[in-house]
Amino acid sequence: MALSAEDIRTRRQQRLTDEVGGVSKTWQDQLKIALIYPNHYYHAMSNLGFQAVYHSIQQREDCLCERFFVPDRDELDYFSRSPLLSFETQHALQDFDVVLFSLSFENDYLNLPLIAEMTRTSLWRQQREDAEPLWIAGGICAMLNPEPVAEIMDVFAVGEAEVLLEPMIETLLDHHERDATLDALVRLPGFYVPDYYQPHYQADGTRNRVDVRQPAAQRVERRWLADLNDSDCQSFIQTEHTAFGTMHLHEVSRGCSRGCRFCATGFTYLPPREKDADILCAQILPDLSAQQTAGLVGAAVSDYSHLKQVSAAIQSQGGQVSVASLRIDSLTREDVAALRDGGQKTLALAPEAGSQRMRDLINKHLSEKQIFDAVALLAEEGILNLKLYFLIGLPDEQSEDIDDFIALIKTIRHVWVEGQKPFGRLGTITISVNPFIPKPATPFQWCPMDTLASLKKKVALLRKAINRLANVQLQVESLRGAELQALLAVGDRQVGRMLPLLAEGSNLKAACRAMNVDLQQLVHTPREQGTLLPWEVINTGVEKDYLWNDYQRALLGKLTPPCHRACTRCGVCRTVKEEHS
């Protein structure tokens, strides 16, 4: 049911009132920055990066930052008639000097036409007037492949906010005309200004070259924070209206050394970095009250070398510890006991693949025995529910791999039941299955996505087997949604022109036909080694030859050892060493 204007104002005011720890400012003569996470408040305020950027801007005396959120579903009718205004003081988007977007998920691109419509602004950068605010995007999508929204955004900040935010704001303060600002930003390392880059295409629609206008760099280098101790990334604002409720989240590490070949986060945030225990405790403990939960966040939390020390410090102050998921091969009984005592009834593990052949192919470094031992440990320590994450449709996956997957689930259930017997109850085992989606900047960026027909057959086999198992439930991501995400992940500016059609509800195939986009070629066909990939305008620091060679190792079933800060094989740390030599 649609809400009235009064209902919406009341809901907004309640959310604003319930926020704890935010910084409020009066509307004055400052650089006015609108911050947009293209999703609902519930999801936006669960994002640590979004919160950290908001907090950092609000600490400056020369800046004012206010937030915009995509309306809830029952608010859409109202905002189709009245403009969407800022969360804090209900100002129009045109009242701001710049708009910052945090792009974390490709499917959130579909909300960009909606935001433009509801804020009464032009979606396409070429149609925006000089007096309108600049649109600047950051987040992992800006680092992976900005091209699908390159005709929407004026600028992309490529890298981590701790390094990019200050020079960007100083530039915005120094320049007030659109062209002068863009010319200044394009000269800074880490800023991609798409107007300076013109792609060209062959008759079949494939990209064959990009003309780069001076003074832009041929490739934009990702910028990253060398010492994570210099970051204070946490949930500065706490509110019950988020996925994590009033849990206080703290980043403990960034990047991952494991080298899982499908994982964009693992490769894009290299090198792996972590905070010193003393610094992390100094950030957590002063504001931690008894019975409050501290959520520890990172790509590999159970790999964090100071996890026991930090967990003990939190517990000694009467607090509780929570983590999103645990590494199977670094799990300890002490870790599990601490989480159980902190009230966690469900823990998640990520075997990622159901057969040993597929786990080797993705470089997971996991055996069946390690998986079974981890499941047994969780059960024996009294964890009530278990969640397991898997991918299907991986490169070269065969029917035998699905058979092994089903056998693995059956054995996991048996191990779980045996471990739970002493407690006289049996919780739920949730099998979360997602289709593999090839992502830029990974060894699998050349891979095709499995076809929907093939994926449907695999899901049907899994459902038939798993539905027979008591206390085991199967969750499968939408296959069509995954196909759309794949297109947005590997597409370019031609794909981006489809966004208004998709946002209006057109199905993917119809939108592709209307815009002359070859879905089969882009998503379901392998890419050749020499293909000019749309995202090559971004240099993440990981060398293309390294990614290709690791892809070939995958096809041979060869494992690649985890990286360490002393190695230089992928290129990220080699560049740093050369700069300091």
Side-chain angles (χ1 to χ4, degrees):
M1 184 176 69
L3 295 182
S4 67
E6 184 59 33
D7 290 335
I8 292 170
R9 282 194 292 269
T10 300
R11 174 184 286 179
R12 176 182 294 210
Q13 186 57 47
Q14 185 62 55
R15 288 175 174 172
L16 192 56
T17 301
D18 288 345
E19 288 188 353
V20 177
V23 178
S24 60
K25 287 187 176 182
T26 56
W27 190 268
Q28 297 176 345
D29 186 19
Q30 301 156 310
L31 179 69
K32 296 178 176 63
I33 300 174
L35 184 60
I36 299 181
Y37 188 97
N39 210 311
H40 303 94
Y41 178 94
Y42 178 85
H43 298 291
M45 295 310 296
S46 301
N47 185 284
L48 280 190
F50 182 82
Q51 285 216 27
V53 169
Y54 178 68
H55 179 80
S56 181
I57 296 172
Q58 291 290 61
Q59 301 309 301
R60 297 181 61 117
E61 294 296 328
D62 51 7
C63 295
L64 177 145
C65 185
E66 297 197 0
R67 295 164 289 169
F68 286 75
F69 303 107
V70 174
D72 295 338
R73 187 176 297 275
D74 54 4
E75 299 174 346
L76 290 177
D77 180 64
Y78 172 78
F79 285 109
S80 67
R81 294 176 279 108
S82 300
L84 180 66
L85 303 174
S86 68
F87 183 67
E88 282 78 2
T89 61
Q90 291 77 63
H91 276 81
L93 194 68
Q94 291 86 343
D95 294 335
F96 292 83
D97 301 303
V98 62
V99 185
L100 301 186
F101 288 83
S102 178
L103 301 180
S104 298
F105 302 100
E106 291 90 354
N107 284 3
D108 286 343
Y109 298 167
L110 301 179
N111 285 328
L112 296 177
L114 180 66
I115 290 169
E117 178 184 350
M118 290 186 170
T119 57
R120 311 298 192 259
T121 55
S122 302
L123 176 65
W124 309 110
R125 58 179 168 82
Q126 296 288 6
Q127 296 176 3
R128 288 196 285 272
E129 302 292 335
D130 289 346
E132 291 189 76
L134 284 176
W135 285 25
I136 302 177
I140 189 171
C141 290
M143 292 187 271
L144 288 174
N145 179 18
E147 287 303 281
V149 289
E151 293 188 350
I152 295 175
M153 299 298 165
D154 294 293
V155 183
F156 293 89
V158 182
E160 298 173 6
E162 294 93 344
V163 181
L164 294 171
L165 194 58
E166 183 175 350
M168 182 189 75
I169 290 177
E170 294 299 328
T171 301
L172 293 169
L173 287 167
D174 289 343
H175 299 83
H176 304 288
E177 294 183 356
R178 175 178 293 269
D179 289 346
T181 304
L182 294 178
D183 185 70
L185 286 172
V186 80
R187 296 171 187 271
L188 296 177
F191 289 92
Y192 172 46
V193 183
D195 190 50
Y196 285 73
Y197 299 78
Q198 181 58 53
H200 294 270
Y201 300 89
Q202 300 179 117
D204 62 359
T206 57
R207 178 179 293 210
N208 61 356
R209 81 173 198 275
V210 177
D211 291 339
V212 182
R213 180 160 54 94
Q214 293 293 327
Q218 289 295 316
R219 300 184 71 198
V220 179
E221 292 190 9
R222 171 182 67 100
R223 306 289 288 172
W224 48 275
L225 183 66
D227 188 352
L228 202 62
N229 290 318
D230 294 335
S231 172
D232 187 18
C233 190
Q234 59 175 290
S235 50
F236 293 100
I237 298 175
Q238 292 179 271
T239 171
E240 62 185 25
H241 305 287
T242 72
F244 298 99
T246 56
M247 185 186 300
H248 202 174
L249 304 179
H250 287 267
E251 184 184 41
V252 303
S253 62
R254 192 177 297 177
C256 178
S257 66
R258 301 297 187 111
C260 295
R261 291 167 173 139
F262 63 88
C263 182
T265 301
F267 279 92
T268 306
Y269 285 98
L270 286 173
R273 292 148 286 161
E274 62 178 32
K275 286 187 180 179
D276 292 343
D278 292 344
I279 291 177
L280 184 59
C281 287
Q283 294 172 348
I284 295 176
L285 299 182
D287 298 322
L288 185 71
S289 58
Q291 303 306 311
Q292 190 175 18
T293 300
L296 305 182
V297 178
V301 175
S302 53
D303 284 351
Y304 178 51
S305 58
H306 309 298
L307 182 59
K308 290 181 182 179
Q309 180 181 346
V310 172
S311 297
I314 292 170
Q315 290 174 312
S316 69
Q317 194 161 306
Q320 300 173 343
V321 181
S322 176
V323 300
S325 64
L326 297 167
R327 290 285 187 184
I328 290 173
D329 57 349
S330 59
L331 195 60
T332 69
R333 196 167 295 275
E334 292 79 9
D335 294 339
V336 177
L339 294 169
R340 178 203 61 214
D341 294 343
Q344 285 205 228
K345 295 182 179 180
T346 302
L347 286 178
L349 303 175
E352 304 292 7
S355 72
Q356 190 62 53
R357 189 175 77 91
M358 288 292 98
R359 286 192 294 276
D360 290 346
L361 181 136
I362 65 176
N363 206 45
K364 192 64 183 176
H365 289 269
L366 273 183
S367 67
E368 280 194 347
K369 183 179 185 304
Q370 289 174 304
I371 297 171
F372 298 148
D373 287 347
V375 170
L377 175 57
L378 295 185
E380 292 164 4
E381 287 299 317
I383 300 299
L384 179 60
N385 303 308
L386 175 66
K387 189 166 189 177
L388 298 162
Y389 292 103
F390 290 94
L391 296 170
I392 58 170
L394 287 162
D396 196 39
E397 187 175 68
Q398 306 295 327
S399 59
E400 294 80 7
D401 298 302
I402 301 300
D403 293 339
D404 287 350
F405 187 175
I406 293 170
L408 181 73
I409 298 304
K410 290 178 178 179
T411 305
I412 285 174
R413 183 186 180 279
H414 173 75
V415 172
W416 186 255
V417 169
E418 291 301 309
Q420 292 274 4
K421 278 182 178 179
F423 301 98
R425 61 358 177 209
L426 179 62
T428 300
I429 302 175
T430 302
I431 310 300
S432 177
V433 174
N434 295 321
F436 160 72
I437 296 172
K439 288 297 181 85
T442 71
F444 286 167
Q445 65 183 358
W446 291 275
C447 295
M449 180 182 174
D450 202 357
T451 65
L452 293 191
S454 173
L455 289 168
K456 287 177 181 177
K457 290 179 181 178
K458 293 171 182 178
V459 170
L461 289 171
L462 292 174
R463 286 198 188 282
K464 183 178 179 181
I466 290 174
N467 286 347
R468 297 173 179 173
L469 303 176
N471 296 83
V472 182
Q473 61 183 23
L474 179 67
Q475 294 178 348
V476 182
E477 182 186 345
S478 164
L479 301 184
R480 293 191 181 278
E483 186 179 44
L484 171 58
Q485 183 186 351
L487 179 64
L488 297 176
V490 302
D492 61 4
R493 300 184 189 189
Q494 298 175 104
V495 168
R497 293 171 195 148
M498 297 167 50
L499 289 175
L501 291 176
L502 294 168
E504 291 168 2
S506 294
N507 69 58
L508 181 56
K509 289 186 177 179
C512 286
R513 286 195 298 270
M515 302 305 294
N516 197 30
V517 170
D518 191 336
L519 178 64
Q520 178 66 31
Q521 178 66 32
L522 286 175
V523 174
H524 300 295
T525 303
R527 282 168 277 278
E528 301 295 332
Q529 181 181 7
T531 302
L532 179 60
L533 304 170
W535 50 92
E536 286 189 67
V537 68
I538 303 300
N539 178 11
T540 65
V542 181
E543 295 171 352
K544 187 177 180 180
D545 285 347
Y546 174 83
L547 295 175
W548 175 263
N549 291 334
D550 203 43
Y551 176 32
Q552 302 312 301
R553 290 177 63 83
L555 297 178
L556 296 173
K558 293 183 177 180
L559 296 173
T560 298
C563 71
H564 51 86
R565 287 303 296 267
C567 80
T568 57
R569 65 185 185 219
C570 80
V572 172
C573 295
R574 184 186 314 132
T575 302
V576 176
K577 290 182 178 181
E578 289 172 353
E579 289 177 351
H580 291 85
S581 61

